[in-house]
Amino acid sequence: MNALIKLELARAFRNKKFLFFSVLYPAILFLIIAGNADSKTKVDGTGLTLATYMMVSMASFGALTAVLMGNSERIAKERESGWVRQLRLTPLPGRGYVLAKTASAAVVSLPSIVVVFAAAAAIKHVRLDAWQWLALTGIIWAGSLVFAALGVAIGYVASGDAVRPITMIIYFGLSILGGLWMPTTTFPKILQDIAKWLPTHAYAALGRAIEQSQAPHATDVAVLAVYFVLFAGGAAWLYRKDTLKA
């Protein structure tokens, strides 16, 4: 399995388009959104400046991009090309393929988080305690596994031709409605109510709690845990179904 992880990492880091959208694009988007914001105006109901608030949003968005976009399309196309079937003829255990995909995506997601943080600290002068930077990095990185599981599930349910539009609809839907592109306080009331139950909203909320030096809200932890169980369970079921079909 280690050899497959190395292969997946090499492929990911050679893909310049994927690296741009997963590592650099979130930082660029952060600078565009927070570019003209001053250091005094707070986002309603949070006590955080726009730059501090959006830093977590864009770091979460970058990790989401790396694990969701990376996993779903590659798995669907490799299934269609017969690569997954070939791997089943090797000593690699069935779960090893899924774990290798998830591990490689997680490694790629880390630079996207760090680059957003670096841009926020160097250009927008966001200042946090050392423990907050470390805790933010860890919780956003670990939380991305929820969306890595979703990417695996999409990769096993969609065909090679359909996987990109399906992934893009889910990707943009979760990002926008979950409040990663703009504070949900600017949404109409009905969209605010919907956002509270989306995994992306709970995901970013964990990071904002750390910025506020607070413990994560139990509701956000529970929402993220439920989605992880659903996505991981769905991915496992689809994987077994695909194995039996082959």
Side-chain angles (χ1 to χ4, degrees):
M1 187 172 71
N2 289 338
L4 184 58
I5 292 175
K6 291 178 182 178
L7 174 63
E8 291 297 330
L9 287 173
R11 290 173 61 188
F13 285 113
R14 282 200 303 264
N15 189 335
K16 293 181 175 58
K17 184 185 294 186
F18 174 70
L19 286 178
F20 172 79
F21 282 104
S22 63
V23 177
L24 297 180
Y25 178 59
I28 294 171
L29 197 58
F30 163 76
L31 293 175
I32 292 172
I33 295 172
N36 295 323
D38 58 50
S39 59
K40 295 181 180 179
T41 304
K42 310 290 185 180
V43 176
D44 291 345
T46 68
L48 301 172
T49 64
L50 182 64
T52 307
Y53 184 97
M54 292 307 300
M55 180 185 75
V56 164
S57 293
M58 288 298 106
S60 303
F61 176 67
L64 169 67
T65 302
V67 298
L68 181 60
M69 301 297 289
N71 269 343
S72 59
E73 192 164 344
R74 286 199 200 104
I75 290 174
K77 290 186 175 179
E78 287 176 2
R79 285 175 52 239
E80 199 164 77
S81 69
W83 173 242
V84 177
R85 192 178 301 110
Q86 287 295 111
L87 286 177
R88 291 193 184 115
L89 301 177
T90 71
L92 179 74
R95 65 184 179 279
Y97 173 77
V98 174
L99 290 175
K101 289 290 185 185
T102 303
S104 62
V107 171
V108 176
S109 73
L110 184 58
S112 69
I113 299 168
V114 173
V115 169
V116 170
F117 287 174
I123 300 174
K124 295 304 297 178
H125 310 294
V126 173
R127 297 292 181 262
L128 298 172
D129 292 337
W131 74 266
Q132 290 174 303
W133 289 114
L134 291 173
L136 280 173
T137 302
I139 204 164
I140 294 174
W141 196 21
S144 68
L145 293 176
V146 175
F147 305 99
L150 174 59
V152 173
I154 295 172
Y156 273 102
V157 77
S159 66
D161 291 332
V163 66
R164 179 169 293 185
I166 291 173
T167 304
M168 293 296 282
I169 290 170
I170 294 173
Y171 168 67
F172 284 113
L174 288 177
S175 298
I176 296 171
L177 294 177
L180 298 187
W181 283 22
M182 64 192 75
T184 56
T185 52
T186 63
F187 290 1
K189 180 66 167 59
I190 187 171
L191 291 183
Q192 290 185 37
D193 292 338
I194 293 172
K196 291 176 183 178
W197 301 104
L198 294 179
T200 37
H201 182 274
Y203 181 37
L206 297 183
R208 294 192 191 107
I210 292 172
E211 289 182 318
Q212 297 164 328
S213 299
Q214 298 175 357
H217 291 203
T219 302
D220 295 323
V221 175
V223 167
L224 214 55
V226 168
Y227 274 106
F228 178 71
V229 170
L230 289 175
F231 293 157
W237 180 77
L238 288 165
Y239 171 77
R240 286 195 297 269
K241 182 180 177 183
D242 188 71
T243 302
L244 292 173
K245 184 170 63 177

